[in-house]
């Protein structure tokens, strides 16, 4: 069975500073990995995905993530946080059998 | 394209009442699913469908029923509402399937959600 762990339930950063949201996964198969963002009272929107091509994946709004098989990690980063990045972020692992969501990380951006 | 639409946006029920949450997509997606979102638990799969006439249970199916008579529509029925079903419900769809689940390489498109309170 596969699983995904988001290591921080809440991350707080100041505007203009880097963002790091951590995600570890386990999967018996070669997985695809996704990050979704959910703004307050909205549905989820895809930020980026990894599907066995380049290990460094670039997404929307300046976010990127690096797939590290040896560490079973897929951490999400952004060089400079913006107030509009305040939201909840979900890491998702998917393979031919199953798809699992992490519990989510709430990102707060302070002015 | 409207994408994935859900109705209603908000609903309050009394214990024991039944209701149907509606979900529709206009992208001709084969795969559709229902999730519930509870604080600190991420999204948990309730039921899913890999095509019209085919449905299956997810992680938390008890107390819910689904059917898929058309590609576009995937309603979720609460048979006898309980306070434990207070949650936010999301419908999602994606292109293609793996045969028994979503195509693992494809993006899920989510509806705006239904906030349900059961008193």
């Amino acid at each position: 069975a596969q699983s995904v762990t988001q290591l921080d339930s809440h991350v707080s950063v100041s505007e203009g500073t880097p963002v790091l949201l951590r995600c570890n996964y386990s999967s018996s198969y070669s997985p695809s990995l996704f990050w979704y963002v959910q703004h307050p009272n909205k549905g989820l929107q895809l930020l980026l995905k990894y599907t066995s091509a380049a290990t460094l994946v670039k997404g929307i709004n300046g976010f990127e993530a690096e797939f590290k098989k040896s560490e079973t990690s897929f951490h999400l980063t952004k060089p400079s946080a913006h107030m509009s990045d305040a939201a909840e972020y979900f890491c998702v692992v998917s393979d031919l059998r199953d798809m699992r969501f992490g519990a989510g990380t709430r990102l707060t951006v302070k002015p | 394209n409207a994408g994935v639409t859900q109705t209603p946006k908000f609903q309050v029920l009394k214990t024991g009442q039944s209701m149907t949450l509606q979900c529709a997509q206009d992208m001709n997606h084969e795969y559709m699913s229902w999730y519930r979102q509870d604080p600190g638990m991420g999204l948990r799969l309730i039921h899913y469908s890999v095509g019209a006439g085919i449905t299956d249970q997810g992680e938390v199916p008890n107390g819910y029923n689904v059917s898929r008579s058309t590609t576009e529509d995937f309603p979720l029925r609460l048979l006898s509402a309980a306070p434990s079903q207070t949650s936010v419900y999301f419908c999602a769809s994606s292109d293609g399937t793996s045969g028994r689940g979503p195509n693992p390489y494809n993006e899920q498109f989510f509806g705006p959600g239904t906030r349900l309170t059961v008193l």
Side-chain angles (χ1 to χ4, degrees):
Chain A
Q2 61 180 340
S3 66
V4 56
T5 302
Q6 292 184 240
L7 297 167
D8 306 290
S9 59
H10 187 208
V11 170
S12 180
V13 301
S14 296
E15 190 175 22
T17 64
V19 175
L20 170 64
L21 306 183
R22 300 181 294 165
C23 173
N24 285 357
Y25 71 93
S26 67
S27 175
S28 302
Y29 303 88
S30 296
S32 297
L33 292 154
F34 302 79
W35 276 99
Y36 287 85
V37 60
Q38 183 183 29
H39 291 279
N41 301 313
K42 300 288 187 183
L44 279 71
Q45 178 188 12
L46 181 69
L47 269 182
L48 50 80
K49 67 178 182 180
Y50 165 79
T51 57
S52 77
T55 56
L56 183 61
V57 181
K58 294 187 184 300
I60 61 172
N61 300 334
F63 284 94
E64 62 181 39
E66 186 171 8
F67 174 71
K68 293 187 176 180
K69 187 174 181 179
S70 61
E71 299 177 9
T72 60
S73 69
F74 190 57
H75 301 334
L76 182 70
T77 60
K78 182 173 181 178
S80 176
H82 191 274
M83 295 298 291
S84 61
D85 295 328
E88 186 138 21
Y89 293 78
F90 292 95
C91 182
V92 179
V93 59
S94 180
D95 62 27
L96 288 172
R97 295 174 62 88
D98 198 9
M99 181 167 64
R100 294 281 173 160
F101 285 75
T105 298
R106 181 165 300 278
L107 177 65
T108 300
V109 182
K110 298 175 289 186
Chain B
N1 288 350
V4 180
T5 58
Q6 290 183 239
T7 56
K9 288 189 175 180
F10 302 94
Q11 184 70 49
V12 179
L13 292 178
K14 294 181 179 178
T15 297
Q17 287 185 313
S18 62
M19 79 158 295
T20 299
L21 308 185
Q22 300 292 344
C23 174
Q25 52 92 8
D26 62 358
M27 297 172 282
N28 202 33
H29 285 168
E30 294 176 80
Y31 183 82
M32 294 186 74
S33 55
W34 277 102
Y35 293 89
R36 59 177 289 171
Q37 182 180 26
D38 302 293
M41 303 188 75
L43 273 71
R44 293 181 293 169
L45 183 65
I46 304 171
H47 284 285
Y48 66 95
S49 169
V50 296
I54 306 169
T55 64
D56 206 346
Q57 297 181 351
E59 183 182 357
V60 288
N62 292 342
Y64 307 95
N65 217 345
V66 292
S67 60
R68 183 110 178 258
S69 56
T70 67
T71 299
E72 294 78 19
D73 300 299
F74 191 46
L76 177 72
R77 280 181 284 277
L78 279 70
L79 308 173
S80 177
S84 61
Q85 294 178 303
T86 294
S87 188
V88 182
Y89 291 85
F90 288 99
C91 180
S93 74
S94 64
D95 192 22
T97 75
S98 68
R100 53 181 292 175
N103 182 315
Y105 306 110
N106 290 347
E107 172 186 0
Q108 299 289 312
F109 291 83
F110 288 86
T114 296
R115 186 174 295 273
L116 176 68
T117 301
V118 183
L119 302 175

